[in-house]
Every structure is written in C-alpha cells, then in structure tokens.
C-alpha cells in the first residue's frame, strides 16, 4: 500500500477516482477510490463526443477528460467536462504522419496528466506539454529531429511516463551522442536529461517498479529493460522477443507484487515472470511459457495472485484467460473468443471493452469465469484503452467517445 501511495504522488498527485495516465493511477489497469460495482445493471450512456482518427484513449483528472485525436493534418488535444462533455479548451499542432500500411494515421499514445500539465506523444514523434487548466503550449520536443526516432511499423506509440520530474519514453532513437532508445525529458522544460540504450521502440509503455520507485521498467522491441530513473543507467537487460522480424512487443510490463514482473507477447514469445532483487540489483527469471497467455496488445491485469488477460493474435481471435502468477498455470478460460479488447479492474470486478464495442463485466476471481453482464456500447472496430473514473467508463471508437455509467 505504501508503494502505491508513493506512485500516486510521483505521477502527478492523482486524486482518488481519477484516471490520469495510461492504465490508470498506478499504471496497473486498476481503478482507485471507486465505489463497488454490482456488475449486473445495464450501463447507461451519459454523453458522447465526436472524434477524429486515432487510437489514443482518454485520461481523466479533477473533473476534466483529456483526449487526443486527428482531424485533417492536425493532432488535436482537447479538454472536456468529465461529467457532461462540455468543451473546455482545445490545442492543435500540424502533423505529416502517414501510416505505412494505410491504417489509421491518428495518435496512438495515451496522454499523461502530471504536475499541472498534459503530456502528449504524437505518431510523428512530437512530445508536448500543455497547461492542464488552459491548454496553453508550455513546451514541445521533436524526437524525430533530435533523436532520429524512427516511424516503425505503425508510428510512435509509447504513452509518456512522468516520474521524478522526468518524462520517460521508449522512442528507439539515436543521435550524435549515441543510443537513444530510451530518453528522459525534463517535465518542466522539455529539455533532454539523459538518453540510453540502442533498443528499438515497440508499442509497449513503461511502468515504475512499485517496490523500488527509482527503477523504471520497459518492454522494448527487443525485450526487458530496467533503468535507473535518475540517470538512465541500465540495471537489467534481457532479450524476450519473437524470432521473426515482423513482430511487436505491445503489452506493458505488469507488476505482480513483491518485486515480481510479468511480460507477455504474441508471435510465439509467450509469457514469463521475473523477480527483481532490490538489494542485489538483479533480475532473475522464475518461469517462461508459451501458449498460455500470449498477449498481442492487451496489457494483462494482476489481482490477488493471478493475472487476467487476452491470449492469442487479434487476427485469429483471442480468448480471455486467468493464470496463476506462481507457476503460469491456466486457472480458467472464457468460453467465447473475441477479436480483442482491453481490461480494467474495479474492486472485485473486471471490465472488458472489446474491439466489437461490447462491455463485459465479470468477477475478478480465479475459481471460475463468471460473466455478470454483456452489453453493447460504442460501435465495433477499435483498440483504444478505455478510462474509468468516478463510476464512468470513457471508451472510444473510430468516430466518437462514448461515456457510460457503470453501476
């Protein structure tokens, strides 16, 4: 509990029931300070808001919801009243990004609200800090120009991590000073603080190690990387990736208590558990398995000794599974497969927002899969991660953000 409270302070003085960054207050896909959910009532649509293109999910803090999307040749960041959707401010900057495969060319990275700022990371490589109250531009940094951050398969997608006065990103860059796979920018000025490693960027975003908050954890395109937040010193480095080049690591690292870290990827990579020794500054693998929880892009959710996640590739269908952290054994598998989706834990309930626009509510229990409700919210065909704050789920599709009350 002490570690969680520390993280909440470090990551922007988050208030209970806020969702200020990717994967929520503690970057664990779990809501904090929320009332218990019954899980059986039909969700009520409260409001919706038209959006342009992009896969960036919303963030919520202090009564505002922030969302990034693209209209024409501009990336738009806007603030809305979280309860009713009233527009509060809007900021835009030009973008020339074009997806190499002809897919969506909007922003992928979820913004981060921290230290009175909204930090965004566009697919063209622009990192910006906006004033949380007004939307005024405070600073802007072009990682493609300064660090030669490559576009990759689907554009830059790392959601910013703000910790210890720094903005941490896996950009896969380099420059005259050497490798810049991981960079740290000063959160107040946007100026580079340090750069480290030659690791290419994937589509995973970093976390802070709860038991050792001075350590940041990355899942790069090559594998597992732990860095010292203060100066970028590499503390642990292990290859964990597919043999084929046409592959990605996309799910974020998952903290599983007592210094344990779980990593998972598709393309025959599988899932594994590692133990961080804080005293000895050493990372040790405990187990690795394939065809157990091979996560294509969904970050699994840890709860009470088990992890809940989606196993399999999006193209061939995924199955919802619960596995034991101790040994990786499958505790249960849901009977129906889905194309994909994202997960959020609210107390003893789990919310699954599927690519087909459905909301599943099921019990966060390892004994058996118990589905409490299944309802349609937005239209189908989207991979953005939803946010949950003050009893409201903020989910988006290719056309709009839909806000529903979950009771």
């Amino acid at each position: 509990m002490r570690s969680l409270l520390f993280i909440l302070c470090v990551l922007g003085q988050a208030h209970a029931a806020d969702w200020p960054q990717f994967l929520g207050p503690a970057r664990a896909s779990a809501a904090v300070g929320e009332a218990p959910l019954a899980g059986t009532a039909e969700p009520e649509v409260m409001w919706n808001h038209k959006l342009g293109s992009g896969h960036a999910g919303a963030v919520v803090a202090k009564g505002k919801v922030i969302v990034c999307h693209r209209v024409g040749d501009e990336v738009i960041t806007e603030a809305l009243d979280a309860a009713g959707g009233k527009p509060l401010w809007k900021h835009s900057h030009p973008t020339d990004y074009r997806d190499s495969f002809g897919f969506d060319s909007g922003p992928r990275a979820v913004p981060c609200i921290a230290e009175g700022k909204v930090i965004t990371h566009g697919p063209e490589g622009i990192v910006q800090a906006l004033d949380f109250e007004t939307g005024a531009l405070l600073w802007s940094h072009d990682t493609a120009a300064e660090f030669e951050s490559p576009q990759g398969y689907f554009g830059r997608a790392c959601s910013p991590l703000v910790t210890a006065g720094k903005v941490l990103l896996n950009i896969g860059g380099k420059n005259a000073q050497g490798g810049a796979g991981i960079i740290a920018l000063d959160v107040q000025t946007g100026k580079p603080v340090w750069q480290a490693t030659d690791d290419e960027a994937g589509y995973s975003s970093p976390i802070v190690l709860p038991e050792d908050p001075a350590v940041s954890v990355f899942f790069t395109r090559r594998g597992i990387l732990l860095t010292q937040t203060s100066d970028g010193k590499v503390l642990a480095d292990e290859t964990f990736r597919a043999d084929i080049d046409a592959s990605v690591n996309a799910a974020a690292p998952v903290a599983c208590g007592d210094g344990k870290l779980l990593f998972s990827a598709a393309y025959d990579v599988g899932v594994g558990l590692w133990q961080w020794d804080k005293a000895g500054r050493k990372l040790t693998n405990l187990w690795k398995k394939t065809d157990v929880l091979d996560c294509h892009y969904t970050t699994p959710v840890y709860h009470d000794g088990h992890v809940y996640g989606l196993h399999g590739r999006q193209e061939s269908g995924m199955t919802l599974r619960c596995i034991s952290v101790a040994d990786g054994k499958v505790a249960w598998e849901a009977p129906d497969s889905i194309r994909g989706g994202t997960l959020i834990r609210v107390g003893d309930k789990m919310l699954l927002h599927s690519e087909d626009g459905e909301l599943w509510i099921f019990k966060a229990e390892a004994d058996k899969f118990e589905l409490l409700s299944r309802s349609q919210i937005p239209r189908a065909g989207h991979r953005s991660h939803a946010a949950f704050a003050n009893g409201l789920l903020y989910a988006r599709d290719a056309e709009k953000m839909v806000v529903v009350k979950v009771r």
Side-chain angles (χ1 to χ4, degrees), residues 104-253:
D104 190 302
S105 293
R108 287 89 165 92
V110 176
C112 178
I113 301 170
E115 301 193 23
K117 300 171 180 61
V118 176
I119 311 295
T120 64
H121 182 205
E124 72 293 310
I126 301 294
V127 183
Q128 292 191 333
L130 310 177
D131 184 89
F132 175 71
E133 297 298 335
T134 67
L137 178 64
L138 302 175
W139 54 259
S140 182
H141 192 96
D142 188 339
T143 65
E146 178 154 357
F147 293 111
E148 300 178 38
S149 168
Q151 178 169 315
Y153 287 122
F154 307 112
R156 292 84 173 173
C158 180
S159 295
L161 170 62
V162 177
T163 179
K166 301 174 183 65
V167 181
L168 302 188
L169 291 162
N170 178 199
I171 63 166
K174 60 182 180 180
N175 62 6
Q177 286 71 47
I182 307 295
I183 64 167
L185 305 177
D186 185 281
V187 73
Q188 300 300 333
T189 65
K191 294 180 178 179
V193 178
W194 53 257
Q195 60 187 71
T197 85
D198 293 317
D199 279 38
E200 294 179 84
Y203 298 91
S204 174
S205 299
I207 66 169
V208 167
L209 186 64
E211 294 79 14
D212 197 353
V215 175
S216 301
V217 185
F218 294 82
F219 194 20
T220 70
R221 186 160 186 248
R222 184 190 53 80
I224 298 162
L225 194 68
L226 273 62
T227 64
Q228 195 163 273
T229 304
S230 60
D231 57 8
K233 178 183 178 181
V234 175
L235 304 173
D237 181 355
E238 184 166 337
T239 298
F240 192 52
R241 64 156 295 172
D243 292 331
I244 61 172
D245 187 63
S247 61
V248 297
N249 290 337

Side-chain angles (χ1 to χ4, degrees), residues 209 212 215 226 235-236 259 274-278 281-283:
L209 186 64
D212 197 353
V215 175
L226 273 62
L235 304 173
W274 279 259
Q275 177 71 57
W276 172 249
D277 178 2
K278 182 177 179 179
R281 313 299 272 178
K282 183 180 179 182
L283 188 70

Side-chain angles (χ1 to χ4, degrees), residues 65-105:
V65 55
I66 310 293
V67 64
C68 291
H69 57 109
R70 177 172 177 167
V71 177
D73 290 329
E74 289 187 322
V75 170
I76 295 174
T77 304
E78 57 183 320
L80 310 167
D81 172 64
K86 177 184 176 182
L88 300 174
W89 55 254
K90 183 184 293 187
H91 175 272
S92 63
H93 73 265
T95 181
D96 59 0
Y97 172 75
R98 293 292 182 272
D99 188 87
S100 301
F101 293 83
F103 298 148
D104 190 302
S105 293

Side-chain angles (χ1 to χ4, degrees), residues 246-395:
S247 61
V248 297
N249 290 337
V254 180
C256 297
D258 300 322
K260 293 181 176 61
L261 290 163
L262 182 137
F263 298 84
S264 176
Y267 308 93
D268 299 320
V269 176
V271 61
L273 187 73
W274 279 259
Q275 177 71 57
W276 172 249
D277 178 2
K278 182 177 179 179
R281 313 299 272 178
K282 183 180 179 182
L283 188 70
T284 303
N285 178 251
L286 301 180
W287 54 261
K288 295 179 187 175
K289 293 187 175 183
T290 57
D291 201 29
V292 169
L293 190 64
D294 302 2
C295 297
H296 193 185
Y297 68 87
T298 304
T299 298
V301 182
Y302 171 77
H303 178 59
D304 197 21
H306 289 78
V307 165
Y308 302 80
L310 292 174
H311 169 68
R313 291 278 297 274
Q314 186 265 0
E315 297 88 347
S316 55
M318 302 179 183
T319 54
L320 175 63
R321 286 183 175 180
C322 171
I323 71 167
S324 167
V325 168
D327 54 16
K329 290 183 178 179
V330 177
W332 55 252
E333 178 179 288
D336 297 331
S337 65
I338 60 174
R339 284 197 301 155
T342 56
L343 294 160
I344 293 174
R345 182 175 66 84
V346 184
D348 61 352
K349 307 294 190 305
M350 297 287 297
L351 309 182
L352 167 61
H353 176 220
S354 78
E355 277 197 35
D356 292 320
E358 288 188 330
L359 176 63
W360 294 14
I361 303 180
F362 62 95
K363 290 186 177 181
E365 294 181 355
D367 294 339
K368 62 179 180 178
F369 172 65
E370 186 173 348
L371 183 65
L372 300 174
S373 67
R374 184 174 179 175
S375 53
Q376 191 75 32
I377 40 174
R379 65 187 285 277
H382 215 257
R383 295 188 185 185
S384 63
H385 203 292
F388 190 91
N390 296 296
L392 299 178
L393 182 75
Y394 299 80

